């Protein structure tokens, strides 16, 4: 007898986990295949700082017991300035959060298979009808979802998404104790998530300190290996070297000690997806890629993509003839554009401009933020081009022109 289900999902991250929850709660027969073993889950995929906001907690019913620390403020730091904004948030224990997602979906009736590494699609002509995992095991479904993050074995084989290596951002973080979160000459980071724009530490990207309570914090660095990275990089430095350099040179870490086994690393693509679905298939989460390009907020966006994929599957599978053709599943692409990543073009453009600016420009930007109203900053953050252009200075014209030229070329 063939192993056949309504939906098979590859990957038990925020995207796959949320899609499984939504589908199982609607009564569909869902199987999730996860490459890692159940005992150690999540190990390599325990990759995220997992800072998030109350709207995400409420939308997905995330419980307080997976929160390491509730935060009050978000701080933007440049080499010589900082800007604080009251914006409540929560730093999750990502491993607990991922396990909570598994428990929720299983309670609703989803089946999870751990130690199940998905390698390729099973095709019937041009259409995917199932997946091969662990070499020769096969599972079939009306709809297959790739939620494996940047690994994307199915999306790549089906030529969906078009992930580009040069658009892959890499990130690493360690958890520390004995961090001086209220050091002289720096912003008070108590109960805050701080993001720092400084090419000395994260050339072509940013670094962060997220307070996790008492004297502990998550400390990380991420960047794209772009032109700005190359222009500002230190010869021979790996991403681990940049994080170590920060810890060695910033007085806030003078007595800091790494917490054993608490290191997280991963990557995500910062680019526009080509498409996200085809016959019987959807790609969700960072397989698409879905992470917000500007500040790397991926949990909310990936869960939302899982949710709209589940809604699309529900619509196709309730139809009496179960129409899962590319035309039907294209509803997911539209929902992704409308509800998951609206204005993604403008945010990508802003990202490219931001990471090309100099450290002096970061200082001017962060200092200028105090002059603008909250509404205006919200509007810029949401990708409103007119308000964004209003914040530019004469010296930005060359970056604007260069970014626009590359944008048109790409
Ligand atoms: C260092 C770092 C810090 C971050 N910080 C934040 C933050 O503070 N806030 C925030 O919102 N976002 C943050 N993000 C982004 C966020 O973590 C991601 O966007 C999100 O985890 C992506 O979810 P996903 O479900 O698409 O993929 P993933 O989380 O990558 O999950 C994919 C799952 O698929 C499994 N898998 C992979 N390959 C296979 C295979 N072949 N077969 C079966 N299973 C497979 C993996 O083991 C994993 O469980 C951060 C990311 C990084 C790397």
């Amino acid at each position: 007898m063939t192993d056949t289900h309504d939906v098979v999902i590859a990957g038990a991250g925020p995207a796959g986990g949320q899609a499984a929850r939504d589908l199982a709660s609607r009564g569909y027969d869902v199987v999730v295949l996860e490459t890692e073993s159940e005992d150690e889950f999540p190990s390599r995929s325990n990759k995220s700082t997992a800072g998030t906001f109350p709207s995400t907690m409420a939308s997905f019913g995330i419980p307080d017991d997976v929160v390491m620390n509730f935060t009050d403020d978000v701080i933007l730091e440049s080499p010589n300035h900082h800007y604080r904004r009251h914006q409540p948030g929560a730093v999750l224990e990502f491993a607990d959060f991922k396990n909570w997602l598994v428990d929720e979906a299983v309670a609703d009736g989803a089946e999870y298979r751990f130690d199940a590494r998905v390698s390729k699609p099973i095709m019937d002509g041009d259409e995917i009808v199932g997946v091969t995992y662990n070499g020769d095991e096969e599972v079939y479904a009306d709809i297959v979802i790739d939620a494996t993050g940047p690994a994307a074995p199915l999306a790549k084989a089906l030529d969906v998404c078009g992930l580009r290596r040069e658009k892959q951002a890499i990130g690493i973080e360690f958890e520390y104790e004995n961090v001086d979160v209220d050091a002289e000459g720096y912003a008070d980071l108590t109960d805050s998530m701080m993001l720092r724009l400084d090419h000395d530490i994260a050339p072509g990207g940013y670094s962060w300190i997220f307070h996790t309570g008492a004297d502990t914090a998550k400390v990380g660095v991420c960047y794209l290996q772009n032109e700005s990275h190359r222009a500002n990089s230190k010869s021979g430095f790996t991403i681990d070297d940049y994080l170590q350099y920060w810890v060695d040179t910033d007085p806030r870490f003078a007595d800091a000690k790494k917490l054993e086994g608490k290191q997280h690393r991963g990557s995500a693509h910062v680019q526009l997806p080509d498409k996200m679905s085809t016959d019987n298939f959807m790609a969700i989460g960072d397989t698409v890629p879905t992470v917000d390009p500007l500040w790397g907020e991926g949990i909310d966006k990936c869960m939302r993509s899982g949710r709209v994929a589940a809604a699309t599957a529900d619509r196709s599978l309730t139809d009496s003839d179960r129409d899962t053709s590319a035309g039907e599943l294209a509803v997911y692409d539209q929902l992704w554009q409308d509800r998951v990543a609206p204005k993604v073009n403008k945010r990508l453009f802003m990202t490219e401009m931001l990471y090309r600016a100099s450290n002096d420009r970061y200082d001017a930007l962060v200092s200028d933020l105090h002059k603008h109203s909250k509404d205006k900053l919200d509007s810029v953050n949401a990708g409103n081009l007119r308000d964004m252009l209003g914040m530019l200075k004469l010296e930005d014209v060359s970056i604007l022109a260069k970014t626009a030229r590359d944008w048109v070329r790409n």
Side-chain angles (χ1 to χ4, degrees):
M1 215 175 72
T2 52
D3 186 7
T4 304
H5 307 269
D6 292 326
V7 181
V8 166
I9 300 172
Q18 183 56 38
R21 266 178 99 191
D22 283 352
L23 285 162
S25 67
R26 287 173 204 176
Y28 290 105
D29 170 8
V30 186
V31 171
V32 180
L33 304 172
E34 165 58 47
T35 188
E36 294 186 350
S37 71
E38 187 167 9
D39 295 348
E40 291 172 2
F41 181 74
S43 48
R44 228 180 49 221
S45 75
N46 184 10
K47 64 181 190 184
S48 185
T49 315
T52 194
F53 296 99
S55 54
T56 310
M57 303 289 286
S59 299
F60 299 103
I62 301 172
D64 289 359
D65 55 10
V66 302
V67 175
M68 294 175 81
N69 193 25
F70 286 101
T71 51
D72 300 321
D73 296 332
V74 171
I75 296 168
L76 190 60
E77 208 174 78
S78 62
N80 297 297
H81 294 287
H82 71 263
Y83 170 77
R84 174 189 299 277
R85 176 173 172 158
H86 178 63
Q87 189 166 342
V91 183
L92 308 183
E93 172 50 81
F94 194 58
D96 292 350
F97 163 67
K98 284 191 77 167
N99 276 304
W100 166 77
L101 272 174
V102 174
D103 293 345
E104 285 283 297
V106 168
D108 283 331
E111 181 191 343
Y112 270 72
R113 295 182 196 170
F114 289 91
D115 284 314
R117 181 176 175 73
V118 172
S119 53
K120 59 181 184 199
I122 301 171
M123 304 298 288
D124 179 8
D126 288 341
E127 295 185 11
I128 183 171
V129 291
V131 303
T132 303
Y133 68 99
N134 293 349
D136 59 357
E137 305 216 40
E138 296 189 335
V139 56
Y140 292 80
D142 288 338
I143 294 177
V144 174
I145 294 179
D146 192 340
T148 56
L154 304 172
K156 283 178 187 162
L158 295 171
D159 208 15
V160 170
C161 304
L163 298 178
R164 288 159 59 191
R165 185 183 279 272
E166 71 276 16
K167 296 288 178 187
Q168 193 167 19
I170 50 173
I172 175 178
E173 121 181 325
F174 290 107
E175 290 185 35
Y176 288 90
E177 61 183 353
N178 284 344
V179 178
D180 187 353
V181 290
D182 189 12
E184 174 109 27
Y186 290 89
D188 181 359
L189 304 182
T190 310
D191 295 333
S192 298
M193 298 189 218
M194 183 278 275
L195 298 161
R196 182 178 175 99
L197 291 167
D198 182 347
H199 292 299
D200 189 38
I201 296 162
Y206 60 93
S207 58
W208 64 89
I209 303 175
F210 284 13
H211 186 215
T212 47
D215 62 359
T216 64
K218 294 182 173 183
V219 181
V221 171
C222 75
Y223 51 71
L224 269 159
Q225 279 156 306
N226 53 13
E227 206 183 298
S228 171
H229 175 79
R230 285 188 290 277
N232 293 289
S233 62
K234 300 183 201 306
S235 175
F237 261 44
T238 63
I239 191 159
D240 292 60
D241 295 331
Y242 282 106
L243 181 51
Q244 193 56 53
Y245 168 76
W246 190 21
V247 170
D248 289 344
T249 54
D250 189 316
R252 292 174 286 193
F253 306 119
D255 299 316
K257 274 205 213 90
K258 246 183 225 172
L259 293 173
E260 188 73 27
K262 298 281 189 179
Q263 63 162 291
H264 316 290
R265 62 178 74 227
S267 70
H269 291 76
V270 178
Q271 63 169 94
L272 277 180
D274 295 341
K275 58 176 182 167
M276 300 155 218
S277 63
T278 183
D279 293 300
N280 311 337
F281 179 80
M282 289 181 275
I284 65 175
D286 277 349
T287 302
V288 171
T290 301
V291 65
D292 177 66
L294 203 50
W295 299 122
E297 192 189 353
I299 292 173
D300 178 77
K301 304 235 164 266
C302 292
M303 291 179 87
R304 277 201 249 172
S305 78
R307 176 158 279 175
V308 296
T312 307
D314 187 22
R315 185 176 178 272
S316 303
L317 297 173
T318 37
D319 207 61
S320 52
D321 58 357
R322 292 202 150 204
D323 183 356
T324 56
S325 63
E328 277 298 309
L329 297 189
V331 168
Y332 164 65
D333 298 44
Q334 194 56 51
L335 290 172
W336 189 93
Q337 302 282 356
D338 294 345
R339 299 194 194 164
V340 178
K343 302 206 172 141
V344 64
N345 274 310
K346 288 176 189 152
R347 287 185 72 76
L348 273 165
F349 191 83
M350 278 165 65
T351 308
E352 290 197 11
M353 276 195 71
L354 185 70
Y355 297 128
R356 283 172 182 197
S358 65
N359 270 7
D360 286 346
R361 184 66 186 94
Y362 288 157
D363 272 337
L365 171 77
V366 172
S367 156
D368 281 355
L369 290 177
H370 296 96
K371 297 183 198 151
H372 299 290
S373 69
K374 182 176 175 301
D375 287 350
K376 179 153 180 198
L377 296 180
D378 281 344
S379 160
V380 172
N381 195 39
N384 186 318
L385 211 53
R386 208 184 49 193
D387 282 336
M388 186 189 115
L389 292 174
M391 286 179 72
L392 295 184
K393 292 180 185 286
L394 198 58
E395 68 201 81
D396 298 327
V397 170
S398 69
I399 298 180
L400 180 66
K402 203 165 178 327
T403 309
R405 203 178 52 227
D406 288 354
W407 191 259
V408 171
R409 196 186 299 139
N410 288 323

